[in-house]
Structures are given as C-alpha cells and as structure tokens.
Amino acid sequence: MFESFSHFLSYGATDQQTARDLAGSYDGLLVPGTVAAFQADATRGFVLTLSATSNAPRYTVDPRFPLFQQALPAAKRSHTALANLLGVPDLVQPVDALEPGDYTDSLIEIITENWLRFNNGFTELENKKFDKYAERLNEEIVPKNRKGPSWILPPYFIAQVDDGRWWPVSSRFWRSAMELSPSRDMLVRVVASDSTTLLDGLLTSCNEHRLAVWISKLDERQVDRTGRDDLTEYGRAIRAASARGQEVFALYGGFFSVLLGMFGLRGSSHGIGYGEARAWEELPQSGPPPVRYYLPRAHRYVSMDLALLFWRENRDLVRCSCRECRGESPARLEYHGLMRHSVLCRNAEIQHWVNMSPDVAVRELLDEAYRFESAVDDMDIPRRLRRAADECFITLKGWARVVEAIHNWASQARRRCKE
C-alpha cells in the first residue's frame, strides 16, 4: 500500500488552493465522509480534477462513522447528509445514540452497501462540473484521466476501554465489506481506539496486512503527562505490528508519527495548519485553523507572538528555508502562506527523519533540545509566553526518551526471539 512513508493531508473545503499550490509536496488526501456527502459536487470536482493531474495525489474517503456513537442534539447538515448517504437517516439521534445491539446484520449490510456504492461511484461527475475545477489548474486536464479512491475504508467504531461492545461491531462491518465488495484488495481496515492500552491487542487480533489506526485525543506533545506513557505504548504497538508484517498508516499524526517511521509506521495524515490529533466526540463548533507559525526546530505550532519574539531575540530558533519563508520573518507570511509553510515543513521532516536510526534520532533531538533551552534561558521572555517557550525544548527531550524506550524494547524483543 505504501512504498515509503506516505504524507497525507486531511482535506477541507477551505484547503483547495493550498492543496493545488503544494502539488508534489504531499502524497495524498484524506477526505472526510461528512464533507464528501454534504458538499458532494464541489468535493468530487476538486478531488477528481486533482487526481487527473501529472502530480496526482492518491486519496481515500474516511467514513467518520464514530460520529454516530454519540447523540447529536445539534446535528449539522453534514451529519444528516452522511447518514442519508448511508441509507439510514436514524443514525442521527438527538438524545440517545444507537447502541451496539441496534446494529443488526441487515442494518450493517445496508450501511456497508451504500458506502461501497458511494466509493465505487466517486468518479461519476458531469463534465461541466469537472471542467469548472479543471480551469483552476495550471495544466490541461483530461476528464478520462480522473481516478477513483486509492482504497476504501469501511465503516468502523472507536473501541473503548470501558465498553467492550463496540470493537465486535467494527469487526462485523469489516466482514460485511469483505463479503460485499467486488474488489477486496481495495479495502483497508481501520483500527480505532480511545486508548493506547487497547491498540496492541486490537492490531494483534487482526489478520489483515493493511491497517489504518487512530487513537482518539492522542496529543503527541504531552509526553509523560497522563500518568501513563501513551506515546511509548503507541510506538511499541506500531513496532510489533510491523514486525508481524502489517503495514500501518496513522489517520492522524504530527511530528511524532514521523519519528515512528523508523519503527515501521508507513505514513500519517494531518490537517493543513492543524489536525495532528483528533477526538472522536463531535465538537459543538469547528472552523479554520488559528493563525499560528509552525516552528521547524521545535516541530510544533507556536503563537505568532512567540515566533516573532524568537525572531527578534535569536533568529536561528525560527529561521526557515522553505519556499514560503526563504529565511525571512514569519511576519511576512499571510494566512495561506502560514498554511503552506506548515505542510512544507512536514514534508522536510519526513525526508530528514523517517530513515534515520533511532540512536541518531535521539542524539539529534537532545542536541536540539539543549541548544533551544540554552537560547531561551538567555532571553527576557514575558511571563505569558514563558511556558510556551519552555515547552519547545521540554517536548523535544520527551520525544528523545520515548524513541529510546521504543528502540530498547524492540531490541530486547529481537533478542528474545533469537533465544
């Protein structure tokens, strides 16, 4: 499925210009099922014209089915559009969501059939609507060159630590897709959980070679802050899956997911300017990402106030050579420039870190952390920005500890296998 570490962007309707501008700097698009259902023609028009270009990215549509594990008292039109597309409007419940026992075999079959039909018919679009989006690209686009989804993600639920009923229903959706799909080789199973403690067991229970994973609310920046080392647990599960020959892709991930490339993770997806973590519970409101600067040396987003403080006090901390920044101040970047900069930084991180050995990665992370800490200690930083400045090097040290822990665990596992 993935020849190397694949860099995907989570598509949003406001991201079209950025996605066009950066063609060739990422590998694919993860299209939310809610967007694809509600803004059907616009989403297809954009994705299909892009798929017909010379730098055509791959794409897949995420069914976002955990949306229906909760009551939706203020359901958005995109929620009802997705439920209607799946042929079951009653998936949207204002008070009590459907329970696992409500998913009968016939209901699962209806949902699965409609989802497969939607994916297999994704290329169906009137030429005049195709041409509308093709005109916005800087090359001649031939409608017959448009491509369908690279693979299909069947509906899935979030497995929960305190409710073991949801994972078996996800498994039934998977089996239904395998029975009903005319092209099984296009199916990729999603393993989603609300905790890293479940991930290894779930992956081990899967016989499938290709898997996509999602740990709800996994904040890669919070290292050793929860009373349990979630990132080490996550990395060990990925490493064990890779050792079994499973190809695993992360539906949501930031820089830490790039580091996991050295332990077998085959790619990850992120939003443009945000989206490195995602909770399965529906937010009451959503919108475009905030105005922030992606700080390459810290591998994280920071406020513009902090970025400009670093620029004034020590430009080496914030200087970036990507084609948006060109070594100049973050202040010169307008909103979409900041978004493009963040994607280019992730592309550069993948090129630099994915094939690095864990030992070298630990040294680089610690060296960067200590240089960052020394520079920050020499600055007169306002109290309101001090904690955010410290987090830049604290997280780098944390990631170094996690990489070392996963590496040591993997080495011990290999030795045990040889004995």
Side-chain angles (χ1 to χ4, degrees), residues 15 20 27 42 48 53 60 74 86 96 104 128 149 152 156 179 183 223 251 255 263 270 307 313 328 347 349 360 386:
D15 300 327
R20 280 194 295 264
D27 300 307
L48 291 176
T53 62
T60 188
L86 295 171
D96 296 315
T104 63
K128 65 178 182 179
I152 298 174
Y156 60 91
E179 292 171 1
S183 50
V223 185
L251 290 183
F255 175 68
F263 296 109
H270 64 93
E313 297 287 334
E328 298 185 35
N347 179 267
E349 289 169 343
V360 173
R386 182 72 207 200

Coordinates of all heavy atoms in Angstrom, one line a residue, residues 15 20 27 42 48 53 60 74 86 96 104 128 149 152 156 179 183 223 251 255 263 270 307 313 328 347 349 360 386:
D15 N -9.3 24.3 2.0 CA -7.9 24.0 1.7 C -7.6 23.8 0.2 O -6.5 23.4 -0.1 CB -7.5 22.7 2.4 CG -7.7 22.8 3.9 OD1 -7.5 23.9 4.5 OD2 -8.0 21.8 4.6
R20 N -3.7 22.7 -4.1 CA -3.3 22.9 -5.5 C -1.9 23.4 -5.6 O -1.0 22.9 -6.3 CB -4.2 23.8 -6.2 CG -5.5 23.2 -6.7 CD -6.3 24.1 -7.7 NE -6.7 25.3 -7.1 CZ -7.9 25.5 -6.7 NH1 -8.8 24.6 -6.7 NH2 -8.3 26.7 -6.1
D27 N 1.6 13.3 -0.6 CA 1.3 12.1 -1.3 C -0.2 11.8 -1.6 O -0.5 11.1 -2.5 CB 1.9 10.9 -0.6 CG 3.4 11.0 -0.5 OD1 4.1 11.2 -1.5 OD2 3.9 10.9 0.6
A42 N -18.8 19.7 -5.2 CA -17.6 20.5 -5.0 C -16.4 19.7 -4.6 O -15.3 19.8 -5.1 CB -17.9 21.6 -4.0
L48 N -11.3 15.0 -8.0 CA -11.2 14.3 -9.3 C -10.3 15.1 -10.3 O -9.5 14.5 -11.0 CB -12.6 14.0 -9.9 CG -13.4 13.0 -9.1 CD1 -14.8 12.9 -9.8 CD2 -12.8 11.7 -9.1
T53 N -4.2 15.2 -12.7 CA -3.0 16.0 -13.0 C -1.8 15.1 -13.1 O -1.8 13.9 -12.7 CB -2.8 17.1 -11.9 OG1 -2.6 16.4 -10.6 CG2 -4.0 18.0 -11.8
T60 N -8.4 8.9 -0.3 CA -9.4 7.9 0.3 C -10.4 8.7 1.1 O -10.1 9.9 1.5 CB -8.7 6.8 1.1 OG1 -9.6 5.9 1.5 CG2 -8.1 7.5 2.4
A74 N -27.5 18.8 18.2 CA -27.4 20.0 17.3 C -26.7 19.5 16.0 O -25.6 20.0 15.6 CB -26.6 21.1 18.0
L86 N -25.7 7.0 3.7 CA -25.5 5.6 4.1 C -26.9 4.9 4.1 O -26.9 3.7 4.5 CB -24.9 5.6 5.5 CG -23.5 6.1 5.6 CD1 -23.0 6.3 7.1 CD2 -22.5 5.2 4.8
D96 N -30.5 9.9 22.4 CA -29.8 8.7 22.7 C -29.3 8.0 21.4 O -30.1 7.7 20.5 CB -30.7 7.7 23.4 CG -31.1 8.2 24.8 OD1 -30.2 8.7 25.5 OD2 -32.3 8.1 25.1
T104 N -28.0 -4.5 13.7 CA -28.3 -5.9 13.2 C -27.5 -6.2 12.0 O -27.0 -5.3 11.3 CB -29.8 -6.0 13.0 OG1 -30.1 -5.1 11.9 CG2 -30.6 -5.7 14.2
K128 N -19.2 19.2 -17.1 CA -19.2 20.6 -16.9 C -18.8 21.0 -15.5 O -18.1 22.0 -15.3 CB -20.6 21.2 -17.2 CG -21.7 20.8 -16.3 CD -23.0 21.5 -16.7 CE -24.1 21.1 -15.7 NZ -25.4 21.8 -16.1
P149 N -10.9 6.4 -5.6 CA -10.2 6.3 -4.4 C -9.1 5.2 -4.5 O -9.3 4.2 -5.1 CB -11.2 5.9 -3.4 CG -12.5 6.5 -3.9 CD -12.4 6.3 -5.4
I152 N -10.5 1.8 0.0 CA -11.8 2.1 0.7 C -11.7 1.7 2.1 O -11.2 0.6 2.5 CB -12.9 1.3 0.0 CG1 -13.1 1.7 -1.5 CG2 -14.2 1.5 0.8 CD1 -14.1 0.9 -2.2
Y156 N -16.4 2.0 10.7 CA -15.7 1.5 11.9 C -16.2 2.3 13.1 O -16.7 3.4 13.0 CB -14.2 1.6 11.8 CG -13.7 3.0 11.6 CD1 -13.4 3.8 12.7 CD2 -13.6 3.6 10.3 CE1 -13.0 5.1 12.5 CE2 -13.2 4.9 10.2 CZ -12.9 5.7 11.3 OH -12.5 7.0 11.1
E179 N -17.4 -9.3 2.4 CA -18.3 -10.1 1.6 C -19.0 -9.4 0.5 O -19.3 -10.0 -0.6 CB -19.4 -10.6 2.6 CG -18.9 -11.5 3.7 CD -20.0 -11.8 4.8 OE1 -21.1 -11.2 4.7 OE2 -19.7 -12.6 5.7
S183 N -14.1 -5.7 -5.0 CA -12.7 -5.6 -5.1 C -12.1 -5.5 -3.7 O -11.8 -4.5 -3.2 CB -12.3 -4.3 -5.9 OG -13.0 -3.2 -5.4
V223 N 4.1 14.5 26.6 CA 4.9 13.4 26.9 C 5.0 13.1 28.4 O 5.4 14.0 29.2 CB 6.4 13.6 26.4 CG1 7.2 12.4 26.5 CG2 6.3 14.0 24.9
L251 N -4.2 7.7 10.7 CA -5.2 8.6 10.2 C -4.9 10.0 10.6 O -5.2 11.0 9.9 CB -6.6 8.2 10.6 CG -7.2 6.9 9.9 CD1 -8.6 6.8 10.3 CD2 -7.1 7.0 8.4
F255 N 4.5 15.4 14.2 CA 5.9 15.0 14.0 C 6.3 13.7 14.7 O 7.1 12.9 14.2 CB 6.8 16.1 14.6 CG 8.3 15.8 14.6 CD1 9.0 15.7 13.4 CD2 8.9 15.6 15.8 CE1 10.3 15.4 13.4 CE2 10.3 15.2 15.8 CZ 11.0 15.2 14.6
F263 N 10.2 3.0 13.1 CA 9.7 1.8 13.8 C 8.7 1.1 12.9 O 8.0 0.2 13.5 CB 9.2 2.1 15.2 CG 10.3 2.6 16.1 CD1 10.2 4.0 16.5 CD2 11.3 1.8 16.5 CE1 11.2 4.5 17.3 CE2 12.3 2.3 17.4 CZ 12.2 3.7 17.8
H270 N -2.5 14.7 8.3 CA -2.7 15.8 9.2 C -3.5 16.9 8.4 O -3.5 16.9 7.2 CB -1.4 16.4 9.7 CG -0.5 17.0 8.7 ND1 -0.5 18.3 8.3 CD2 0.4 16.4 7.9 CE1 0.3 18.5 7.4 NE2 0.9 17.4 7.1
A307 N 6.7 33.3 18.0 CA 7.5 33.2 16.8 C 8.2 34.6 16.5 O 9.4 34.6 16.2 CB 6.7 32.8 15.6
E313 N 14.8 38.0 19.1 CA 15.9 37.7 20.1 C 16.9 36.7 19.6 O 18.1 36.9 19.9 CB 15.2 37.1 21.3 CG 14.2 38.0 22.0 CD 15.0 39.1 22.8 OE1 16.1 38.9 23.2 OE2 14.4 40.2 23.0
E328 N 13.1 34.5 5.9 CA 12.7 35.8 6.3 C 11.7 35.7 7.5 O 11.4 34.6 7.9 CB 11.9 36.6 5.2 CG 12.9 36.9 4.0 CD 12.2 37.7 2.9 OE1 11.3 38.5 3.3 OE2 12.5 37.4 1.7
N347 N 6.8 17.9 5.1 CA 7.5 17.2 4.0 C 9.0 17.1 4.3 O 9.6 16.1 4.1 CB 7.2 17.9 2.7 CG 7.9 17.3 1.5 OD1 9.0 17.6 1.1 ND2 7.2 16.3 0.9
E349 N 10.5 17.3 7.2 CA 10.7 16.4 8.3 C 10.7 15.0 7.9 O 11.5 14.2 8.3 CB 9.6 16.6 9.4 CG 9.7 18.0 10.1 CD 8.5 18.3 11.0 OE1 7.4 17.7 10.7 OE2 8.6 19.2 11.8
V360 N 20.7 7.8 16.3 CA 21.0 9.1 15.7 C 19.8 10.1 16.0 O 20.1 11.2 16.3 CB 21.2 9.0 14.2 CG1 21.4 10.4 13.6 CG2 22.5 8.2 13.9
R386 N 6.4 32.5 28.5 CA 7.5 31.7 29.0 C 7.2 30.2 29.0 O 8.0 29.4 28.5 CB 7.8 32.1 30.5 CG 9.0 31.4 31.1 CD 10.3 31.8 30.5 NE 11.3 30.8 30.5 CZ 12.6 31.1 30.4 NH1 13.0 32.4 30.2 NH2 13.5 30.2 30.4

